[in-house]
Amino acid sequence: MHTIYIRTLKRAEHTVFCVANGQKTYFDPQFNRLVPYSSGQQIKRSIIDRLSTELNEIPAPVTFLSDVTTKKEITEGEVFGTCDPSHFDQLLGGWMKAIKGGKEKTIKRRSPFSISAMRALHPLLAGVNKEDITFDRSGRSNNKVIVRGPKGDHLSEDDIRTLLEGKDRSLVRKFIPDHRTVTGLFVQDIAIDLRRLFCVSLNIYEPEINQVTEDKLRGNGWIEARNIFGDCLVAPPKAREKLIPAIAKAIINWQITSNQSRTFSLMETLAVAVSDNANKIASSIRGKLSEEHENRAVPVIEENFDGVDIFITLTAGGYVLTKSEKADALELAEQNITNKINTFDYENQLND
């Protein structure tokens, strides 16, 4: 076994996954519905944030390059991290560094984590609600109102009164039209490639690190080994012992923290499935069309599925018909993932 697949079932209630441009949705042509989702990038960031908390470490610094043109205009340049697996987020998140016009060779490392978007368990089991909301502070007598003219200058109170004559308009209320929130059951998948998890390739033709970083890693006790991808350096046992339980805890306990305060949802976990078989993990937690009601679906959790370890929380009983809910389900899932990551022989992969 060299890949661990993890499926997480969550419930979201009247919330927003993203605040930059409103709630993200895609159109499902089979069921003719807008389906809400949270991107894999947002999930990845949520996991890294949780991992940072568990390890009590700050992620690696990021370098932002900008270019100045001959007209003294600032343009966007490259953005890259340290490309040093000594930092937990670099080791688990991967990297790419290609400096335009520089002498350094491009280095890149594929992340050992493949992270899906969080999307509806079934298009009929999640929905988008639209409403017009108001930011209203009209009851306060100490509000400060500023109205800008066409040239950006501030209008006087007399000018404002004249402007408002004959208009049914308040300047102490802000209207937010078409505000979208989501409710429903959502599923998210993670695949962990154990062959890459704590290994950095030494392939000189497709380099993942430069010579300076390689020398640093060797000095810090990284072990030279060989896997299916070729020669590599493996993180020392002490580093792995620190990271593995934190990784398992982050995978089980991540939360989307960027949702708006006025639409906060616990996004509680209902169930977790763990397997080394991608097809079985997809079948273990799924939606199924109802035989009795048209245009309806029901959630299904396979509680006794050979090759899949299922962990069901007490909360799940309110939304899915189950018989094996446990109060410590998430702790058991966390330990299961920890054991599976620990079992892999990182130094002797070709002998497995």
Side-chain angles (χ1 to χ4, degrees):
M1 180 191 74
H2 57 74
T3 304
I4 302 174
Y5 298 97
I6 303 163
R7 170 161 285 198
T8 301
L9 176 65
K10 286 181 173 286
R11 171 173 165 78
E13 186 171 15
H14 195 64
T15 189
V16 178
F17 296 150
C18 179
V19 297
N21 295 304
Q23 176 57 53
K24 297 177 181 178
T25 59
Y26 68 90
F27 180 75
D28 185 280
Q30 181 176 355
F31 295 96
N32 196 32
R33 289 170 62 92
L34 278 179
V35 184
Y37 74 97
S38 174
S39 68
Q41 184 66 26
Q42 187 177 30
I43 303 301
K44 178 181 177 181
R45 180 166 183 174
S46 298
I47 293 173
I48 292 295
D49 286 346
R50 181 69 192 210
L51 193 54
S52 177
T53 300
E54 294 299 331
L55 294 170
N56 196 28
E57 294 181 13
I58 301 174
V62 177
T63 299
F64 295 86
L65 293 181
S66 298
D67 300 309
V68 179
T69 67
T70 55
K71 296 181 180 180
K72 296 185 178 180
E73 295 177 348
I74 300 176
T75 61
E76 298 294 338
E78 297 87 349
V79 178
F80 52 83
T82 61
C83 304
D84 181 351
S86 300
H87 298 276
F88 72 89
D89 60 313
Q90 299 287 283
L91 177 65
L92 303 178
W95 60 71
M96 187 174 97
K97 181 179 180 182
I99 302 179
K100 182 173 61 177
K103 295 181 180 180
E104 290 188 57
K105 191 173 183 179
T106 297
I107 56 176
K108 56 185 177 181
R109 178 173 185 266
R110 176 184 168 187
S111 170
F113 281 63
S114 296
I115 299 176
S116 79
M118 184 170 71
R119 67 278 181 205
L121 178 63
H122 187 282
L124 298 177
L125 290 174
V128 181
N129 306 308
K130 296 182 181 180
E131 60 180 344
D132 296 336
I133 62 176
T134 306
F135 181 82
D136 187 351
R137 297 297 182 268
S138 57
R140 298 180 183 179
S141 60
N142 60 346
N143 291 321
K144 183 178 181 180
V145 176
I146 297 174
V147 179
R148 293 183 292 253
K151 296 182 180 180
D153 53 319
H154 293 187
L155 301 186
S156 66
E157 289 188 2
D158 290 337
D159 291 335
I160 294 174
R161 290 193 189 95
T162 301
L163 182 67
L164 291 177
E165 286 181 2
K167 294 183 177 65
D168 184 17
R169 174 67 188 271
S170 171
L171 299 181
V172 289
R173 296 188 185 95
K174 295 294 182 181
F175 296 93
I176 306 174
D178 197 22
H179 175 69
R180 298 183 180 187
T181 59
V182 303
T183 297
L185 301 181
F186 296 85
V187 70
Q188 193 275 328
D189 299 312
I190 298 175
I192 307 175
D193 188 341
L194 298 176
R195 300 169 301 178
R196 299 178 183 271
L197 183 56
F198 295 115
C199 301
V200 177
S201 174
L202 293 176
N203 185 345
I204 61 173
Y205 301 109
E206 293 289 337
E208 293 188 349
I209 52 177
N210 57 31
Q211 190 60 51
V212 174
T213 303
E214 180 182 338
D215 294 341
K216 174 186 174 181
L217 297 179
R218 291 182 185 275
N220 290 337
W222 283 59
I223 306 160
E224 185 166 349
R226 186 173 179 82
N227 60 18
I228 193 173
F229 306 108
D231 294 332
C232 61
L233 289 179
V234 180
K238 187 176 181 180
R240 302 201 302 264
E241 290 170 6
K242 179 182 179 181
L243 282 169
I244 289 173
I247 291 171
K249 191 174 288 291
I251 289 173
I252 294 299
N253 296 291
W254 63 267
Q255 294 285 338
I256 295 178
T257 55
S258 62
N259 57 330
Q260 302 180 42
S261 59
R262 65 174 178 264
T263 52
F264 174 75
S265 170
L266 290 173
M267 296 190 198
E268 64 271 26
T269 298
L270 305 186
V272 176
V274 185
S275 177
D276 61 356
N277 187 308
N279 291 319
K280 287 188 175 183
I281 206 76
S283 301
S284 62
I285 301 175
R286 67 187 190 277
K288 181 179 180 180
L289 287 174
S290 173
E291 297 179 2
E292 302 173 354
H293 303 281
E294 185 179 359
N295 208 32
R296 285 188 60 181
V298 293
V300 177
I301 299 177
E302 293 291 348
E303 299 180 61
N304 299 293
F305 196 6
D306 185 41
V308 182
D309 300 319
I310 297 282
F311 307 91
I312 306 172
T313 68
L314 298 179
T315 313
Y319 309 101
V320 189
L321 291 175
T322 64
K323 298 179 180 179
S324 54
E325 306 99 315
K326 292 184 179 179
D328 59 347
L330 297 185
E331 288 80 2
L332 294 173
E334 182 183 317
Q335 189 57 55
N336 180 280
I337 296 170
T338 298
N339 293 342
K340 281 181 166 56
I341 299 177
N342 265 322
T343 301
F344 193 75
D345 190 348
Y346 297 96
E347 290 95 342
N348 303 290
Q349 295 188 31
L350 296 182
N351 296 332
D352 290 348

mmCIF file of all heavy atoms in Angstrom, residues 293-324:
data_model
loop_
_atom_site.group_PDB
_atom_site.id
_atom_site.type_symbol
_atom_site.label_atom_id
_atom_site.label_comp_id
_atom_site.label_asym_id
_atom_site.label_seq_id
_atom_site.Cartn_x
_atom_site.Cartn_y
_atom_site.Cartn_z
ATOM 1 N N HIS A 293 -39.268 8.679 -4.247
ATOM 2 C CA HIS A 293 -39.597 10.076 -4.518
ATOM 3 C C HIS A 293 -38.770 10.580 -5.692
ATOM 4 O O HIS A 293 -37.540 10.470 -5.696
ATOM 5 C CB HIS A 293 -39.330 10.945 -3.285
ATOM 6 C CG HIS A 293 -40.070 10.493 -2.062
ATOM 7 N ND1 HIS A 293 -41.401 10.763 -1.852
ATOM 8 C CD2 HIS A 293 -39.647 9.767 -0.990
ATOM 9 C CE1 HIS A 293 -41.785 10.245 -0.695
ATOM 10 N NE2 HIS A 293 -40.737 9.630 -0.145
ATOM 11 N N GLU A 294 -39.435 11.154 -6.659
ATOM 12 C CA GLU A 294 -38.740 11.684 -7.826
ATOM 13 C C GLU A 294 -37.951 12.935 -7.449
ATOM 14 O O GLU A 294 -38.380 13.737 -6.621
ATOM 15 C CB GLU A 294 -39.765 12.015 -8.916
ATOM 16 C CG GLU A 294 -39.134 12.462 -10.227
ATOM 17 C CD GLU A 294 -40.186 12.765 -11.282
ATOM 18 O OE1 GLU A 294 -41.392 12.594 -10.970
ATOM 19 O OE2 GLU A 294 -39.802 13.164 -12.383
ATOM 20 N N ASN A 295 -36.798 13.064 -8.074
ATOM 21 C CA ASN A 295 -35.943 14.239 -7.884
ATOM 22 C C ASN A 295 -35.508 14.407 -6.421
ATOM 23 O O ASN A 295 -35.379 15.526 -5.920
ATOM 24 C CB ASN A 295 -36.644 15.513 -8.364
ATOM 25 C CG ASN A 295 -35.638 16.568 -8.819
ATOM 26 O OD1 ASN A 295 -34.576 16.232 -9.330
ATOM 27 N ND2 ASN A 295 -35.968 17.824 -8.628
ATOM 28 N N ARG A 296 -35.284 13.304 -5.748
ATOM 29 C CA ARG A 296 -34.762 13.322 -4.385
ATOM 30 C C ARG A 296 -33.618 12.312 -4.274
ATOM 31 O O ARG A 296 -33.569 11.330 -5.005
ATOM 32 C CB ARG A 296 -35.852 12.989 -3.355
ATOM 33 C CG ARG A 296 -36.824 14.108 -3.107
ATOM 34 C CD ARG A 296 -37.743 13.785 -1.946
ATOM 35 N NE ARG A 296 -37.001 13.576 -0.709
ATOM 36 C CZ ARG A 296 -37.575 13.250 0.458
ATOM 37 N NH1 ARG A 296 -38.894 13.061 0.511
ATOM 38 N NH2 ARG A 296 -36.847 13.091 1.532
ATOM 39 N N ALA A 297 -32.707 12.570 -3.342
ATOM 40 C CA ALA A 297 -31.587 11.655 -3.099
ATOM 41 C C ALA A 297 -31.427 11.462 -1.605
ATOM 42 O O ALA A 297 -31.867 12.292 -0.804
ATOM 43 C CB ALA A 297 -30.296 12.213 -3.708
ATOM 44 N N VAL A 298 -30.808 10.354 -1.248
ATOM 45 C CA VAL A 298 -30.562 10.073 0.172
ATOM 46 C C VAL A 298 -29.072 9.790 0.361
ATOM 47 O O VAL A 298 -28.417 9.225 -0.522
ATOM 48 C CB VAL A 298 -31.384 8.859 0.659
ATOM 49 C CG1 VAL A 298 -32.865 9.174 0.651
ATOM 50 C CG2 VAL A 298 -31.100 7.634 -0.188
ATOM 51 N N PRO A 299 -28.510 10.198 1.498
ATOM 52 C CA PRO A 299 -27.102 9.892 1.772
ATOM 53 C C PRO A 299 -26.946 8.449 2.235
ATOM 54 O O PRO A 299 -27.816 7.909 2.924
ATOM 55 C CB PRO A 299 -26.752 10.873 2.894
ATOM 56 C CG PRO A 299 -28.050 11.140 3.588
ATOM 57 C CD PRO A 299 -29.116 11.038 2.539
ATOM 58 N N VAL A 300 -25.833 7.838 1.841
ATOM 59 C CA VAL A 300 -25.569 6.440 2.201
ATOM 60 C C VAL A 300 -24.159 6.331 2.758
ATOM 61 O O VAL A 300 -23.199 6.842 2.174
ATOM 62 C CB VAL A 300 -25.706 5.505 0.982
ATOM 63 C CG1 VAL A 300 -25.345 4.076 1.366
ATOM 64 C CG2 VAL A 300 -27.112 5.579 0.406
ATOM 65 N N ILE A 301 -24.025 5.675 3.911
ATOM 66 C CA ILE A 301 -22.718 5.346 4.481
ATOM 67 C C ILE A 301 -22.651 3.832 4.620
ATOM 68 O O ILE A 301 -23.469 3.231 5.316
ATOM 69 C CB ILE A 301 -22.503 6.003 5.857
ATOM 70 C CG1 ILE A 301 -22.569 7.524 5.747
ATOM 71 C CG2 ILE A 301 -21.164 5.569 6.455
ATOM 72 C CD1 ILE A 301 -22.435 8.236 7.096
ATOM 73 N N GLU A 302 -21.702 3.203 3.936
ATOM 74 C CA GLU A 302 -21.528 1.754 4.031
ATOM 75 C C GLU A 302 -20.773 1.435 5.321
ATOM 76 O O GLU A 302 -19.563 1.623 5.416
ATOM 77 C CB GLU A 302 -20.751 1.235 2.822
ATOM 78 C CG GLU A 302 -21.487 1.358 1.502
ATOM 79 C CD GLU A 302 -22.684 0.426 1.412
ATOM 80 O OE1 GLU A 302 -22.815 -0.469 2.274
ATOM 81 O OE2 GLU A 302 -23.490 0.596 0.485
ATOM 82 N N GLU A 303 -21.492 0.938 6.297
ATOM 83 C CA GLU A 303 -20.901 0.746 7.626
ATOM 84 C C GLU A 303 -20.012 -0.494 7.706
ATOM 85 O O GLU A 303 -19.114 -0.553 8.542
ATOM 86 C CB GLU A 303 -22.013 0.685 8.678
ATOM 87 C CG GLU A 303 -22.833 1.966 8.726
ATOM 88 C CD GLU A 303 -23.929 1.912 9.761
ATOM 89 O OE1 GLU A 303 -23.613 1.758 10.958
ATOM 90 O OE2 GLU A 303 -25.114 2.024 9.386
ATOM 91 N N ASN A 304 -20.260 -1.480 6.880
ATOM 92 C CA ASN A 304 -19.442 -2.701 6.863
ATOM 93 C C ASN A 304 -18.998 -2.962 5.432
ATOM 94 O O ASN A 304 -19.643 -3.689 4.680
ATOM 95 C CB ASN A 304 -20.241 -3.894 7.403
ATOM 96 C CG ASN A 304 -20.689 -3.686 8.839
ATOM 97 O OD1 ASN A 304 -19.863 -3.631 9.756
ATOM 98 N ND2 ASN A 304 -21.995 -3.546 9.043
ATOM 99 N N PHE A 305 -17.903 -2.344 5.076
ATOM 100 C CA PHE A 305 -17.423 -2.387 3.692
ATOM 101 C C PHE A 305 -15.990 -2.902 3.714
ATOM 102 O O PHE A 305 -15.092 -2.238 4.232
ATOM 103 C CB PHE A 305 -17.501 -0.989 3.095
ATOM 104 C CG PHE A 305 -17.417 -0.940 1.605
ATOM 105 C CD1 PHE A 305 -17.398 -2.096 0.831
ATOM 106 C CD2 PHE A 305 -17.358 0.279 0.951
ATOM 107 C CE1 PHE A 305 -17.328 -2.040 -0.539
ATOM 108 C CE2 PHE A 305 -17.282 0.360 -0.428
ATOM 109 C CZ PHE A 305 -17.269 -0.810 -1.177
ATOM 110 N N ASP A 306 -15.779 -4.084 3.160
ATOM 111 C CA ASP A 306 -14.459 -4.702 3.167
ATOM 112 C C ASP A 306 -13.432 -3.808 2.478
ATOM 113 O O ASP A 306 -13.644 -3.347 1.351
ATOM 114 C CB ASP A 306 -14.516 -6.063 2.466
ATOM 115 C CG ASP A 306 -13.197 -6.811 2.551
ATOM 116 O OD1 ASP A 306 -12.575 -6.776 3.627
ATOM 117 O OD2 ASP A 306 -12.790 -7.402 1.533
ATOM 118 N N GLY A 307 -12.329 -3.552 3.153
ATOM 119 C CA GLY A 307 -11.273 -2.735 2.579
ATOM 120 C C GLY A 307 -11.385 -1.262 2.903
ATOM 121 O O GLY A 307 -10.546 -0.466 2.467
ATOM 122 N N VAL A 308 -12.413 -0.874 3.643
ATOM 123 C CA VAL A 308 -12.605 0.529 4.021
ATOM 124 C C VAL A 308 -12.878 0.615 5.518
ATOM 125 O O VAL A 308 -13.711 -0.119 6.048
ATOM 126 C CB VAL A 308 -13.783 1.169 3.252
ATOM 127 C CG1 VAL A 308 -13.931 2.640 3.640
ATOM 128 C CG2 VAL A 308 -13.585 1.034 1.753
ATOM 129 N N ASP A 309 -12.153 1.494 6.193
ATOM 130 C CA ASP A 309 -12.406 1.763 7.606
ATOM 131 C C ASP A 309 -13.321 2.979 7.703
ATOM 132 O O ASP A 309 -12.987 4.059 7.222
ATOM 133 C CB ASP A 309 -11.092 2.030 8.345
ATOM 134 C CG ASP A 309 -10.140 0.841 8.276
ATOM 135 O OD1 ASP A 309 -10.622 -0.299 8.404
ATOM 136 O OD2 ASP A 309 -8.922 1.061 8.095
ATOM 137 N N ILE A 310 -14.498 2.786 8.337
ATOM 138 C CA ILE A 310 -15.505 3.840 8.431
ATOM 139 C C ILE A 310 -15.630 4.309 9.875
ATOM 140 O O ILE A 310 -15.692 3.488 10.796
ATOM 141 C CB ILE A 310 -16.878 3.338 7.944
ATOM 142 C CG1 ILE A 310 -16.821 2.955 6.468
ATOM 143 C CG2 ILE A 310 -17.946 4.402 8.175
ATOM 144 C CD1 ILE A 310 -16.855 4.111 5.518
ATOM 145 N N PHE A 311 -15.670 5.621 10.053
ATOM 146 C CA PHE A 311 -15.811 6.214 11.386
ATOM 147 C C PHE A 311 -16.963 7.218 11.329
ATOM 148 O O PHE A 311 -16.915 8.185 10.568
ATOM 149 C CB PHE A 311 -14.511 6.889 11.798
ATOM 150 C CG PHE A 311 -13.310 5.986 11.689
ATOM 151 C CD1 PHE A 311 -12.560 5.930 10.523
ATOM 152 C CD2 PHE A 311 -12.956 5.157 12.755
ATOM 153 C CE1 PHE A 311 -11.469 5.079 10.417
ATOM 154 C CE2 PHE A 311 -11.866 4.304 12.654
ATOM 155 C CZ PHE A 311 -11.115 4.269 11.481
ATOM 156 N N ILE A 312 -18.008 6.965 12.137
ATOM 157 C CA ILE A 312 -19.242 7.735 12.072
ATOM 158 C C ILE A 312 -19.476 8.443 13.398
ATOM 159 O O ILE A 312 -19.462 7.810 14.459
ATOM 160 C CB ILE A 312 -20.437 6.822 11.738
ATOM 161 C CG1 ILE A 312 -20.152 6.026 10.451
ATOM 162 C CG2 ILE A 312 -21.710 7.626 11.582
ATOM 163 C CD1 ILE A 312 -21.188 4.968 10.154
ATOM 164 N N THR A 313 -19.687 9.740 13.357
ATOM 165 C CA THR A 313 -19.879 10.522 14.578
ATOM 166 C C THR A 313 -21.336 10.468 15.034
ATOM 167 O O THR A 313 -22.237 10.072 14.287
ATOM 168 C CB THR A 313 -19.479 11.992 14.358
ATOM 169 O OG1 THR A 313 -20.415 12.601 13.448
ATOM 170 C CG2 THR A 313 -18.076 12.096 13.782
ATOM 171 N N LEU A 314 -21.568 10.911 16.260
ATOM 172 C CA LEU A 314 -22.929 10.924 16.794
ATOM 173 C C LEU A 314 -23.829 11.855 15.990
ATOM 174 O O LEU A 314 -25.021 11.587 15.817
ATOM 175 C CB LEU A 314 -22.902 11.362 18.262
ATOM 176 C CG LEU A 314 -22.127 10.468 19.233
ATOM 177 C CD1 LEU A 314 -22.179 11.048 20.634
ATOM 178 C CD2 LEU A 314 -22.679 9.049 19.228
ATOM 179 N N THR A 315 -23.268 12.939 15.496
ATOM 180 C CA THR A 315 -24.059 13.915 14.743
ATOM 181 C C THR A 315 -24.641 13.323 13.471
ATOM 182 O O THR A 315 -25.706 13.749 13.013
ATOM 183 C CB THR A 315 -23.185 15.131 14.376
ATOM 184 O OG1 THR A 315 -22.456 15.542 15.529
ATOM 185 C CG2 THR A 315 -24.027 16.286 13.894
ATOM 186 N N ALA A 316 -23.956 12.348 12.901
ATOM 187 C CA ALA A 316 -24.395 11.775 11.626
ATOM 188 C C ALA A 316 -25.793 11.172 11.718
ATOM 189 O O ALA A 316 -26.542 11.157 10.731
ATOM 190 C CB ALA A 316 -23.398 10.714 11.165
ATOM 191 N N GLY A 317 -26.164 10.672 12.890
ATOM 192 C CA GLY A 317 -27.456 10.030 13.057
ATOM 193 C C GLY A 317 -28.632 10.934 12.754
ATOM 194 O O GLY A 317 -29.749 10.462 12.513
ATOM 195 N N GLY A 318 -28.422 12.225 12.766
ATOM 196 C CA GLY A 318 -29.502 13.159 12.470
ATOM 197 C C GLY A 318 -29.748 13.351 10.990
ATOM 198 O O GLY A 318 -30.763 13.946 10.601
ATOM 199 N N TYR A 319 -28.839 12.856 10.140
ATOM 200 C CA TYR A 319 -28.957 13.101 8.703
ATOM 201 C C TYR A 319 -28.835 11.840 7.853
ATOM 202 O O TYR A 319 -29.249 11.831 6.695
ATOM 203 C CB TYR A 319 -27.872 14.096 8.270
ATOM 204 C CG TYR A 319 -27.843 15.335 9.130
ATOM 205 C CD1 TYR A 319 -26.887 15.474 10.142
ATOM 206 C CD2 TYR A 319 -28.785 16.335 8.964
ATOM 207 C CE1 TYR A 319 -26.873 16.592 10.949
ATOM 208 C CE2 TYR A 319 -28.773 17.460 9.772
ATOM 209 C CZ TYR A 319 -27.822 17.584 10.769
ATOM 210 O OH TYR A 319 -27.810 18.686 11.575
ATOM 211 N N VAL A 320 -28.245 10.775 8.425
ATOM 212 C CA VAL A 320 -28.028 9.531 7.690
ATOM 213 C C VAL A 320 -28.475 8.368 8.563
ATOM 214 O O VAL A 320 -28.221 8.363 9.781
ATOM 215 C CB VAL A 320 -26.535 9.346 7.321
ATOM 216 C CG1 VAL A 320 -26.377 8.162 6.376
ATOM 217 C CG2 VAL A 320 -25.966 10.601 6.698
ATOM 218 N N LEU A 321 -29.133 7.379 7.963
ATOM 219 C CA LEU A 321 -29.530 6.193 8.720
ATOM 220 C C LEU A 321 -28.284 5.341 8.991
ATOM 221 O O LEU A 321 -27.702 4.754 8.085
ATOM 222 C CB LEU A 321 -30.559 5.384 7.930
ATOM 223 C CG LEU A 321 -31.939 6.040 7.772
ATOM 224 C CD1 LEU A 321 -32.831 5.193 6.874
ATOM 225 C CD2 LEU A 321 -32.591 6.235 9.143
ATOM 226 N N THR A 322 -27.857 5.288 10.244
ATOM 227 C CA THR A 322 -26.673 4.522 10.641
ATOM 228 C C THR A 322 -26.945 3.792 11.950
ATOM 229 O O THR A 322 -27.878 4.119 12.687
ATOM 230 C CB THR A 322 -25.447 5.446 10.827
ATOM 231 O OG1 THR A 322 -25.710 6.341 11.920
ATOM 232 C CG2 THR A 322 -25.170 6.258 9.581
ATOM 233 N N LYS A 323 -26.081 2.829 12.235
ATOM 234 C CA LYS A 323 -26.205 2.075 13.480
ATOM 235 C C LYS A 323 -24.913 2.048 14.286
ATOM 236 O O LYS A 323 -24.894 1.510 15.385
ATOM 237 C CB LYS A 323 -26.635 0.632 13.175
ATOM 238 C CG LYS A 323 -27.996 0.505 12.509
ATOM 239 C CD LYS A 323 -28.337 -0.944 12.227
ATOM 240 C CE LYS A 323 -29.695 -1.075 11.556
ATOM 241 N NZ LYS A 323 -30.040 -2.502 11.248
ATOM 242 N N SER A 324 -23.838 2.600 13.733
ATOM 243 C CA SER A 324 -22.532 2.439 14.401
ATOM 244 C C SER A 324 -21.876 3.776 14.747
ATOM 245 O O SER A 324 -20.672 3.910 14.686
ATOM 246 C CB SER A 324 -21.598 1.617 13.498
ATOM 247 O OG SER A 324 -21.507 2.185 12.208
#
